Amino acid sequence: MTPYHEARKLAGGVNPIAVVLPTTNSIMSAALACQVRGEVDLVGESSNPAIITPPQMLTRTTQGLRPDCVIFTDQILSPPNATVRLKADIGDYFISPVEMILCLKYQYDLVVWIGREYSVLKAGQQTAETICSSVNTHFAAAYQLGSQWLMRESQNLRKSDVREHGARTRISLIRSLAMNAYRFDAPSKFDEAMQKIDRIERNWEDMCNAASASP
Amino acid sequence: MLPVPLLEAVGAPIKLLRKRSKTLERLLKTPLTTADERAIASACGESGSSRIGDFYYWYYQKLITAHAVRSLDGPRALALIAKLDKTNYRPAQAILQQTSGVIVAVPHHHHYILAIIALARQLSAAKDVYIFYGDPKTHPGNEVFDHLSGLVFDEGRVNVIYDNKNGLSKALRCLRSGAVLFILPDVFRDESTTFHIPFYGRAMRVMLGTATLARKTESIVVPAVAVSSGGMSFQTKFLPEIHVEQTSPERAKLSDYTVTRALFDSYETVMRRDLLCWQNVRQHMLTPPKFDELTAEEIDRIIDLLPSDPALLPPICVVECRLPA
């Protein structure tokens, strides 16, 4: 039985399900086979055209379609798609809101792989905290897979300090590109450009401090 | 230990290697990662080499030179340096004729330590000379500089200044009094104070400190690069001096950036052939490959879009998942 079919059986009921699974070779092969048969949509961030992004999945849902789906949440790392900051014992990191939106808004039951078993989160009985807590447990279990877990090395990218370093680098690079562009001729527009970058940097630092301090 | 020329001849076949050798890496105390291997291949491409053996041979040369210099007493170490040094010092006369301070900016390239020692000794006959580098207490590995300076410089002729708050004040005072200060501008102490410049087309982080010191003290900057002169020998290439224009406080950073770019642009003209001999080559060749030379109009448009960059937006929510203490 594939992980999807096992999850479908566990969830029972009439609601569509979203199954959160880690990216391993065997799980990926089984999920792709289910997708080819039209049983599920696959959600993640991948160059594989069979896998759709969270916004594409949510677009389908808003169009009235509510297909069962497998979410490879471990692949969803990019700032546009991983927008929920989770405060965990291992440090703050970012996850996708797709599980929360599907469960809290579109009545999906969530079936989350947490190692040797699954955690079933029935729609209508959940909060953002219970869903995030389950995703947090999912990641802890995925680390136990060792080298089988294909996304293991990339997980650093969701850590808040790595994100902040990336953002700081981006601001610094843009400031340097501006200096480079204006280095032989610096009209008053150069001062305006520098002031704009300083303002953006200050706002971003305030935002980081606020996110770090809350809730 | 065998004489250096003999060791050089013994190791020469290393250059012919075209494939990685983990045994050799172990012997050279330079284990490479797959990423390092890619970086070295890129550097080989820049310098027109096709063999990883060139990289290994440079590490071999470095290792035996360092070992030889460390195992000799002062006069013998100086004799070895003199034997390896093929520099034409005539261009250095211009430094001696300066009445202002002079910053000799030397990148961590080829036998840069030997080049600094040789040049500092030459200049110290007529000028106060200082060498500026990270305090070994905070920069492990720099003890070798301390060891060598004690060994090869006559007391009081060449002095060391550590890169800290007191050291910076001292460097400013020395330059204002017309001294020569050696500085290594291709490393940084604090990433948050760096800027990006293009170097071999890739974005590189640099501090603007060399240019700032020159501006504040009205000193000139002399770029000098140690390059190979065949076999184990080196020569110091003196590049056109850079004069720093005085500017308004609002434009000081821009002026420092412009001078720093000019400095590294000049390095590019002589380092390409021996790029593998640059201490930062692996790290630099791994960075994203392009530094886009944008126009003012293009960068203005990007700055306007920056506030909506997803990487700079706040999280849509923050959720507490920590277990209660």
Side-chain angles (χ1 to χ4, degrees), chain A residues 10-23:
Chain A
L10 274 172
V14 290
N15 284 339
I17 62 166
V19 191
V20 179
L21 294 173
T23 307

Side-chain angles (χ1 to χ4, degrees), chain A residues 6-88:
Chain A
E6 205 179 336
R8 179 74 267 182
K9 198 173 161 193
L10 274 172
V14 290
N15 284 339
I17 62 166
V19 191
V20 179
L21 294 173
T23 307
T24 68
N25 279 326
S26 61
I27 289 175
M28 184 60 89
S29 303
L32 282 167
C34 293
Q35 190 263 350
V36 168
R37 288 195 294 269
E39 294 170 319
V40 290
D41 281 357
L42 306 182
V43 183
E45 271 181 2
S46 164
S47 55
N48 187 330
I51 297 177
I52 59 174
T53 62
Q56 287 171 320
M57 177 66 200
L58 294 174
T59 303
R60 288 186 191 198
T61 315
T62 53
Q63 288 166 345
L65 304 166
R66 291 201 305 152
D68 284 356
C69 63
V70 166
I71 303 174
F72 293 106
T73 207
D74 54 359
Q75 297 178 7
I76 307 171
L77 297 155
S78 71
N81 289 329
T83 50
V84 174
R85 184 165 171 148
L86 199 147
K87 297 180 94 68

Side-chain angles (χ1 to χ4, degrees), chain A residues 83 85-89 165 167 169-170 172-174 176-177 179-183 186-187 189 191 196 207, chain B residues 191 196 205 251 254 257-258 261 291-294 300 304 309 312 314-319 321-323:
Chain A
T83 50
R85 184 165 171 148
L86 199 147
K87 297 180 94 68
D89 290 315
H165 182 263
T169 300
R170 190 174 298 218
S172 156
L173 182 60
I174 286 170
S176 302
L177 286 167
M179 286 187 160
N180 193 56
Y182 281 108
R183 71 188 190 281
K189 272 183 80 181
D191 301 316
K196 271 187 200 168
M207 180 272 287
Chain B
E191 190 181 272
H196 292 83
R205 286 182 182 279
R251 295 293 164 94
L254 182 61
Y257 183 88
T258 307
R261 256 219 70 173
F291 180 98
D292 293 305
E293 297 266 4
L294 302 174
D300 284 344
D304 287 337
D309 184 330
L312 303 181
I316 57 168
C317 64
V318 180
V319 181
C321 280
R322 285 174 292 198
L323 295 170

Side-chain angles (χ1 to χ4, degrees), chain A residues 79-100:
Chain A
N81 289 329
T83 50
V84 174
R85 184 165 171 148
L86 199 147
K87 297 180 94 68
D89 290 315
I90 56 160
D92 289 14
Y93 65 89
F94 286 84
I95 62 167
S96 165
V98 67
E99 293 90 347
M100 276 192 264

Side-chain angles (χ1 to χ4, degrees), chain B residues 34-49:
Chain B
T34 315
D36 287 334
E37 196 181 350
R38 272 202 315 275
I40 290 165
S42 297
C44 283
E46 284 286 350
S47 55
S49 158

Side-chain angles (χ1 to χ4, degrees), chain A residues 86-168:
Chain A
L86 199 147
K87 297 180 94 68
D89 290 315
I90 56 160
D92 289 14
Y93 65 89
F94 286 84
I95 62 167
S96 165
V98 67
E99 293 90 347
M100 276 192 264
I101 297 171
L102 290 175
C103 181
L104 300 176
K105 189 167 180 189
Y106 295 106
Q107 285 73 52
Y108 271 70
D109 292 338
L110 297 179
V111 186
V112 182
W113 179 91
I114 52 167
R116 288 191 182 151
E117 54 185 6
Y118 291 88
S119 167
V120 180
L121 285 77
K122 290 297 222 180
Q125 300 166 20
Q126 307 306 320
T127 62
E129 285 74 18
T130 58
I131 295 167
C132 285
S133 172
S134 192
V135 171
N136 190 33
T137 309
H138 165 80
F139 280 122
Y143 275 106
Q144 302 303 315
L145 290 169
S147 59
Q148 281 184 66
W149 187 25
L150 303 178
M151 295 305 296
R152 187 185 173 100
E153 299 302 321
S154 309
Q155 297 308 306
N156 253 351
L157 297 173
R158 66 172 78 253
K159 289 184 179 169
S160 60
D161 51 354
V162 174
R163 279 265 184 105
E164 284 172 17
H165 182 263
R168 200 172 282 121

Side-chain angles (χ1 to χ4, degrees), chain B residues 167-215:
Chain B
L168 276 172
S169 311
K170 193 172 176 188
L172 287 166
R173 275 198 310 277
C174 299
L175 285 169
R176 283 188 181 122
S177 67
V180 175
L181 181 79
F182 281 84
I183 206 163
L184 297 125
D186 55 340
V187 286
F188 56 82
R189 185 159 39 105
D190 175 7
E191 190 181 272
S192 69
T193 60
T194 58
F195 289 77
H196 292 83
I197 57 161
F199 198 56
Y200 292 106
R202 293 163 166 81
M204 180 169 80
R205 286 182 182 279
V206 286
M207 287 178 84
L208 307 184
T210 304
T212 309
L213 276 173
R215 175 173 50 79

Side-chain angles (χ1 to χ4, degrees), chain B residues 29 38 42 49 70 105 136 152 175 195 215 238 242 256 306:
Chain B
K29 298 172 188 149
R38 272 202 315 275
S42 297
S49 158
R70 263 186 238 145
V152 298
L175 285 169
F195 289 77
R215 175 173 50 79
F238 298 95
I242 301 168
D256 293 348
L306 199 54

